[in-house]
Every structure is written in structure tokens, then in C-alpha cells.
Amino acid sequence: MTAPKRAPGGFPVVGIIGGGQLARMCQPAAENLSITLSVLAESPDAAAALVIPSAPVGSHLDVDEVLAFARDCDVVTFDHEHVPAPVLHALVEAGVPVHPKPEALVYAQDKLAMRERLTELGIPCPAWAQVHDTVELAAFGDLHGWPVVLKTPRGGYDGKGVRVVDSATEAQDWFDRGEPLLAEAKVPFTRELAVLAARSPSGQAAVWPVVQTVQTDGICTEVLAPAPGLDPDLQAQIAQAALRLAGELDITGVFAVEVFEVPGVAGGPPSYVVNELAMRPHNSGHWTMDGSVTSQFEQHLRAVLDLPLGEVAPRAPWTVMGNVLGGADEELYSTYRHLLARDPGLKVHLYGKAVRPGRKIGHVNVYGDDLDQLRARAQHAADYLEGTVRQ
């Protein structure tokens, strides 16, 4: 592998395992910080490889390829959480600074480990259990009520690896794989929220405002920052939980905590339960690229290099992020030109991915004072890029 070309002045090289859109969106932030990026890309046309000059092709599953890639990096981080534990530990044994650390990353890789640790810490979670067969699942459902949310402990994302079952027999095909599953009580939540935070190896931490995420068919389609009408005490509780998790789990870098807001008991104040953890820049934080003083991508680079963290204050009262899904039209440039002319305040971020119906190919951001107007603008832009509206 060819060594990445370092910036003058002794500035470091950050290696990112994975060449997806998250790595791609770190590039502008790296340029602003005078940092060189190098990505271990899955293919020459991976999203990040199109914009980052140092993008050797290799597999995150191959220890030798990962070690060869990391040899010229000052620190290594990740575009996704699917790097196997043996590969992570090989990096550590080779003396490569890895952030987040393998001991923390496991709580984003393994949902059963995450549930067990959060429960030990007293962080609110749905009722849950590890189940090995239909008998154990039936017992859980009879105790906590049907339907039950069933999850594969590893490998799921964007709604994959999750199903809702009304009876134990519906899950027989998953049990046939011979691995335990995570069963969770279905939470009667009022909305989904997320909080994004960052922590450096020296312990400095910062947290952005809690946001509301809107899901469609298991995919986040809209983010409202900050979450409208959120109880201030609940905002503080969720932010404090994120900061506590950062310290207790020794998380380094940017991470996201996805939560459900649940109604209060007997008319009391609302509360929350944690749904998922993600230890990387996250879709719920894409609004920060234009709506925050420091984006999640710049903050992640600052954190993994143990630089002072940046200011996380919003630039405007409201920011709305709309995810862009692929439609039938593979040619987007004329559509893109039309949107820039129609709405000069719109910020369009496309990921350089081939367009396929339903595939997440980018997002749009708008910010300002009128939340309803911002939502309408973001929705129109996302729909226009997808091809569901034509004017």
C-alpha cells in the first residue's frame, strides 16, 4: 500500500477503516484542520475513495491488510462498527492508537452486551432477555406482553436484524441459525429521540442538543434539531446519560445514543429508555454539518486525535435534516441544479453512491427560525431528488 501524503508541518494522518459516506464526510473537516485522511476502502469506487486521495482497497476482515494500512497512520478510527474483535486487538497489540477502543466498541457491535452493561449502570432500557429458542421467547412474551421486538445481537442496522413477532413460532427461522437472540418488550413510545456526544482520550466531552428523529419503514427520514417541545428536565437527563456512558464505557470519538421518549406514569413527566448505541458519526447528527458551530465530523477527528473539542452550539433556532433516498432516475445533476436555484439556502450533501430505489444516497439541511417552513423545504428537496415530486 502507498503511504498517504502527509501535510506539511507535522500534522497527523487519521486512518479510517471503511470507505463509506461517513468517511467521505470527514474529508472537508480534515482539510479545515490540516489533517490528512487515509481510508481502507472496500472498492476503488467507494464513496470516500472518490474524494480522499489515499484510499487503498482492502477488507476490514483481513488482519494483514488492516495492519498494513494502519502502518502509516497516527490513529485509526472507523466508518462502521463491523470490524471483528481479532482485527481490533491486532491493531492494539501492534501499538496503533484505536478510537473508539475495542473494549468500548463491543457495546455498539453486540446488542446483548450493550443491554447487560446499560442495565448494570442503571440506564433505562426496555425489558429484555437473551433467548435461545421458542420456549424462552414464549416465556418472555407471556411475561412482558406481545408483540415482542426481536433482534440479532450483531450486524443489524437501519432496521435490518430487527423484527416484531406476535408469537414465538414466527421466529423459528432465526433460532435455526443456532445463535441467541435479544428479546425486548415493545415500548409504547411517543417519539424517537437521539443525542450525539463526543469524548477525547484525555476525558474532555461535549454534547449537542437532543434531536427528534422521524422513521419511515425503519429508516430515519428526518431529524429536527433541537427536538421540539422537549421537556427541559428530560433533555438534561438524556444529555447526562450520554456523558455518563462516555465515561463509564471509556468511549472515544463521536457517538450517538438513540432513545424512546415514553409517557409519564399517572400524568407525571415523560421519561426515556435507550434503544441503541452507535460509536461513530451518526445519521442523527448530519444536521451538525450546517446547523452547528462544529460538525460531528470535525468533532470526531478532534476527539480521536485528542485535540481540544469544538463548540457545539446551534447556528440557528432550528435545523432540519432530510434524508435523500434513491428513486428511478439515476441522473441527479439537473435535479441538483434546479434545487440550488429554487432554494439558495438549501445545503445538499450527496454521497457519491450509485442510485438505487430506496437506497440512502444523501441528505439535505436547512436552518432558520420557522420550523414548519424548514420541514416543508427539506421534505420538498428530498422528494424532488427522489423523483416523487417534479416541481
Side-chain angles (χ1 to χ4, degrees), residues 147-374:
V148 169
V149 179
L150 202 60
K151 299 179 179 180
T152 55
R154 289 178 172 267
Y157 65 98
D158 276 354
K160 299 178 178 67
V162 179
R163 66 200 294 187
V164 179
V165 296
D166 292 303
S167 68
T169 56
E170 293 180 28
Q172 184 61 60
D173 58 330
W174 276 15
F175 286 119
D176 288 343
R177 301 173 184 173
E179 297 179 348
L181 300 173
L182 171 63
E184 296 180 348
K186 195 169 187 296
V187 177
F189 60 88
T190 54
R191 60 176 169 172
E192 296 185 58
L193 305 171
V195 63
L196 200 72
R199 180 174 176 270
S200 65
S202 60
Q204 184 186 6
V207 60
W208 284 268
V210 176
V211 302
Q212 179 178 342
T213 62
V214 179
Q215 315 292 319
T216 305
D217 298 327
I219 298 175
C220 177
T221 52
E222 185 182 36
V223 172
L224 313 179
L230 183 62
D231 181 89
D233 288 339
L234 184 57
Q235 149 80 27
Q237 290 173 36
I238 295 171
Q240 289 167 5
L243 294 174
R244 184 178 174 216
L245 285 172
E248 294 282 1
L249 303 184
D250 196 16
I251 301 172
T252 46
V254 164
F255 67 100
V257 184
E258 299 176 72
V259 308
F260 295 133
E261 180 180 356
V262 296
V265 178
S271 58
Y272 75 95
V273 294
V274 171
N275 180 31
E276 303 278 2
L277 298 181
M279 294 190 195
R280 52 175 166 75
H282 190 254
N283 191 236
S284 66
H286 287 352
W287 70 273
T288 64
M289 294 177 72
D290 304 295
S292 173
V293 173
T294 305
S295 77
Q296 65 168 340
F297 300 103
E298 178 181 336
Q299 197 78 301
H300 187 64
L301 296 176
R302 285 174 177 248
V304 301
L305 287 167
D306 211 8
L307 292 171
L309 298 183
E311 174 60 60
V312 294
R315 294 183 181 274
W318 301 105
T319 300
V320 175
M321 187 278 290
N323 271 324
V324 176
L325 304 180
D329 190 357
E330 296 183 8
E331 197 282 313
L332 292 180
Y333 189 58
S334 59
T335 304
Y336 173 82
R337 286 171 55 89
H338 170 82
L339 285 175
L340 296 187
R342 183 183 188 276
D343 188 348
L346 183 72
K347 303 298 182 182
V348 182
H349 303 274
L350 299 178
Y351 304 154
K353 299 164 84 172
V355 178
R356 293 199 301 265
R359 186 187 198 188
K360 196 181 298 180
I361 58 170
H363 69 272
V364 298
N365 285 334
V366 285
Y367 57 89
D369 300 324
D370 188 323
L371 178 60
D372 290 338
Q373 183 187 72
L374 294 172

Side-chain angles (χ1 to χ4, degrees), residues 74-98:
D74 296 288
V75 63
V76 168
T77 186
F78 313 98
D79 176 80
H80 55 72
E81 293 124 334
H82 306 308
V83 182
V87 176
L88 297 172
H89 289 293
L91 285 169
V92 174
E93 290 168 6
V96 179
V98 176

